[in-house]
Amino acid sequence: NAGVTQTPKFQVLKTGQSMTLQCAQDMNHNSMYWYRQDPGMGLRLIYYSASEGTTDKGEVPNGYNVSRLNKREFSLRLESAAPSQTSVYFCASTQQGWGEKLFFGSGTQLSVL
Amino acid sequence: QKEVEQDPGPLSVPEGAIVSLNCTYSNSAFQYFMWYRQYSRKGPELLMYTYSSGNKEDGRFTAQVDKSSKYISLFIRDSQPSDSATYLCAMTGGSNYQLIWGAGTKLIIKP
C-alpha cells in the first residue's frame, strides 16, 4: 500500500520556468491538499480539493494552479517559477473534512534560481 | 500575531527524560487538536488526535488540551533517540475551517 506518492522528489528550476508537481493517492480519499513548508513558517495551504471536481484556494495560492485530474490524482503547477517559490511541497489526503487524519507524501524539494 | 504559536527549539534532552512540547492559540473556535511528527526529509504523520478539552494517552505519549487557557501540550515519557524529530501541532474548528499549523518544534534526544 503506497499511500500518497509525490513526484519528483527534487527539482531545480530557473526563474521563469514552469513545472508540474504530481500527486497520487491509493486510499480512495475524497479530499486532497497541497502545502508548502518553509523554515519557521510551518505548513501553509496552497490549494485544496474537497472532492473530485472541486478545487479551492488556500492561504498562499498566488503563482500556482491545480488540477484534480480524478479521485486519485491532484497536480500542482507553477507557470512561471520565482525564487520565492523555493520550498518543500507536500501533498496530503484525507477521507473527508478538516478534522480528519491527514496522510502526507514524502515531499518535493524545489529550488528556483 | 500568528493564530498558533509554537517554540521552534531545538529542544535537546537526554534519553529517558520526560519531554513537554506546547502550543498556544488565539481562536476559541478550535475544537480539534492534533500532533504530527515529522522525521527529516519525510512528510508529517499523525501522532495524537484530541477533540475538545482533556487528556488522551497512547503508550508513551499524552496529549493535553486546556481550552480555557488556549494551550495544548504533548508529553513524551521515557524518551528515546528514535523520538528525535520535529513535532507540529495543528488545529481546526472542523467543518469549513482550515487546518492551522504551528511552525514545529525540533526535538533532539541524546543517547
Side-chain angles (χ1 to χ4, degrees), chain B residues 19-30:
Chain B
V19 175
S20 173
L21 303 168
N22 311 294
C23 288
T24 59
Y25 63 95
S26 56
N27 190 338
S28 58
F30 290 152

Side-chain angles (χ1 to χ4, degrees), chain A residues 100-111:
Chain A
E100 296 283 327
K101 174 180 179 178
L102 278 171
F103 292 80
F104 284 84
S106 56
T108 296
Q109 191 162 346
L110 175 66
S111 294

Side-chain angles (χ1 to χ4, degrees), chain B residues 20-61:
Chain B
S20 173
L21 303 168
N22 311 294
C23 288
T24 59
Y25 63 95
S26 56
N27 190 338
S28 58
F30 290 152
Q31 300 183 76
Y32 300 88
F33 303 91
M34 302 149 212
W35 287 95
Y36 282 78
R37 178 174 62 195
Q38 185 177 21
Y39 291 115
S40 181
R41 301 189 182 278
K42 298 288 186 184
E45 56 179 344
L46 183 66
L47 191 60
M48 297 289 285
Y49 179 105
T50 310
Y51 171 70
S52 195
S53 284
N55 291 1
K56 185 173 183 179
E57 189 173 320
D58 184 1
R60 297 184 295 111
F61 299 90

Side-chain angles (χ1 to χ4, degrees), chain B:
Chain B
Q1 185 183 2
K2 295 179 182 178
E3 276 195 282
V4 178
E5 299 278 359
Q6 186 176 10
D7 188 330
L11 176 63
S12 183
V13 301
E15 183 177 353
I18 296 174
V19 175
S20 173
L21 303 168
N22 311 294
C23 288
T24 59
Y25 63 95
S26 56
N27 190 338
S28 58
F30 290 152
Q31 300 183 76
Y32 300 88
F33 303 91
M34 302 149 212
W35 287 95
Y36 282 78
R37 178 174 62 195
Q38 185 177 21
Y39 291 115
S40 181
R41 301 189 182 278
K42 298 288 186 184
E45 56 179 344
L46 183 66
L47 191 60
M48 297 289 285
Y49 179 105
T50 310
Y51 171 70
S52 195
S53 284
N55 291 1
K56 185 173 183 179
E57 189 173 320
D58 184 1
R60 297 184 295 111
F61 299 90
T62 299
Q64 195 172 78
V65 175
D66 182 349
K67 291 188 73 178
S68 62
S69 301
K70 297 190 180 68
Y71 189 89
I72 68 170
S73 300
L74 177 71
F75 298 97
I76 306 174
R77 293 183 299 280
D78 188 25
S79 56
Q80 304 294 311
S82 59
D83 295 327
S84 297
T86 296
Y87 289 80
L88 301 150
C89 64
M91 51 198 77
T92 179
S95 185
N96 292 323
Y97 286 75
Q98 293 183 14
L99 200 57
I100 308 299
W101 295 83
T105 299
K106 184 174 183 178
L107 175 65
I108 300 168
I109 308 297
K110 298 176 293 184

Side-chain angles (χ1 to χ4, degrees), chain A residues 53-104:
Chain A
T54 69
T55 61
D56 286 286
K57 295 178 180 179
E59 180 185 356
V60 289
N62 291 346
Y64 305 95
N65 285 300
V66 290
S67 295
R68 184 74 182 266
L69 304 169
N70 48 55
K71 192 172 184 179
R72 291 187 63 249
E73 299 173 288
F74 189 38
S75 63
L76 178 72
R77 182 160 178 84
L78 286 71
E79 290 291 351
S80 179
S84 61
Q85 294 178 305
T86 293
S87 187
V88 181
Y89 291 85
F90 288 101
C91 177
S93 69
T94 63
Q95 179 55 38
Q96 187 172 345
W98 296 105
E100 296 283 327
K101 174 180 179 178
L102 278 171
F103 292 80
F104 284 84

